[in-house]
Amino acid sequence: MEKLQVKINNVTATVSEAAVEALAPAAAASIEKLVKGTGAGNDFLGWVNLPTRTTSTLIDDINATARRMRETCDVVIAIGIGGSYLGAKAVIEALSDSFAAYKKTEGPQILFAGQNIGEDYLYELQEYLRDKRFGIIVISKSGTTTEPAIAFRLLKAQLEEQLGREEASARIVAITDAHRGALRSLATTEGYKTYVIDDNVGGRFSVLSPVGLLPIAVAGFDIKALVAGAASMEEATLNGSDNAAALYAQTRNALYQAGKKIEILVNYNPKLHYFGEWWKQLYGESEGKDHKGIFPAAVDNSTDLHSMGQWIQDGERTIFETVISVANQAHEVIIPSDTDNLDGLNYIAGKRVDEVNKMAELGTVIAHVDGGVPNIHITLPALREDYLGQLIYFFEVACGISGYILDVNPFNQPGVEAYKRNMFALLAKPGYEKETEAIKARL
């Protein structure tokens, strides 16, 4: 299996190789904290060895459940928010036919709910499911997180109405806490098939657990290869001497110390759009603490070169880019020649579309670097399960290293609770009476 590659030669106009290398001891100390569990947030380090401790028995069980859902369902709804949906969505989108929704394909359509509180979204989803054979994967440690709890209440009631309670229970899989919580209690009562979210695996690091593996398997993709790719990156980053994740973490922190406060994750393949969304949550929720941290943003090029490209090229110089380049495409499309050549494209006739895309990528990198935007470059061999497993683990372990270099706890998210307290108070949730009165006084 090839490995993804990281190059930092396009940052040296802003930070020297010596400045990056100066952070190597901090990166090594961070890796030691991850391996030995001696750093802040060490009660959430279950993801660190998750790829290598995932058993073939668990993978086989998940695949068996996925086969049953594929056989009995036209649509499967994965209900979850944040890390409970973004990782699976990212992998499924990266591996799927871009137009699968418009084709009669084998296996169920995978849709998502509980990631928002959009009334129209939920209404339209329920209408769409009226005449469909559907199943539910509900993902929540507690079962009480507002967004997925609303979606599950609605869709569970609809499924029970369409099938009856007993048959509906056979179409629901719960991924939740091993012993406690509302969803665990309900799953036990109703007899749902269940998988466990380990207490020491936080949501944004959970894609390589059943949280991500089951929806990905239901979509028809090879989760064994996904986990194997991640395991190879685990071995390389935690035990290897050539540590690409440490290099990435050191480089982005050196840039941050040099005044580059915003990182833009760039792709040149539209299938990676949701990978950027997953990455934004991973880094934003892990590093944005104590009034510090690199702000994560993402663009889809060449599309966004015709919008955000202007700001990136000529705007405030507080940014750097990390480009994900996919070396090999799954398909080949050749640009034809045209006798009239009214569009002036005959100069690229006979070339693959991907060659043109790669030259757009290279030309953009040169332009942005010349314009004062440092670029880190990550090359992924192809969009394939094993390589995506590598990329996921690469970013996860680099996030842990980077957070410790930044001197924050990368594994908590105290700021996420602020909006929840206000929302509960505004909705007069029992137990929030004092907060309700305090907010009323402000309005």
Side-chain angles (χ1 to χ4, degrees), residues 289-313:
K289 291 155 195 172
D290 304 332
H291 296 171
K292 53 188 176 181
I294 300 166
F295 183 85
V299 294
D300 303 320
N301 285 349
S302 66
T303 302
D304 285 335
L305 291 175
H306 297 263
S307 55
M308 289 297 293
Q310 172 62 43
W311 193 96
I312 295 168
Q313 185 71 49

Side-chain angles (χ1 to χ4, degrees), residues 11 14-16 19 251-261 317-318 374:
V11 308
T14 302
V15 294
S16 66
T251 305
R252 63 195 301 276
N253 275 277
L255 289 165
Y256 179 67
Q257 291 170 9
K260 303 299 183 181
K261 306 296 186 183
R317 302 295 77 180
T318 54

Side-chain angles (χ1 to χ4, degrees), residues 160-177:
E160 289 177 347
E161 181 182 337
Q162 290 180 202
L163 296 177
R165 187 169 172 178
E166 184 176 347
E167 181 59 27
S169 294
R171 298 266 193 97
I172 296 172
V173 179
I175 304 176
T176 188
D177 189 90

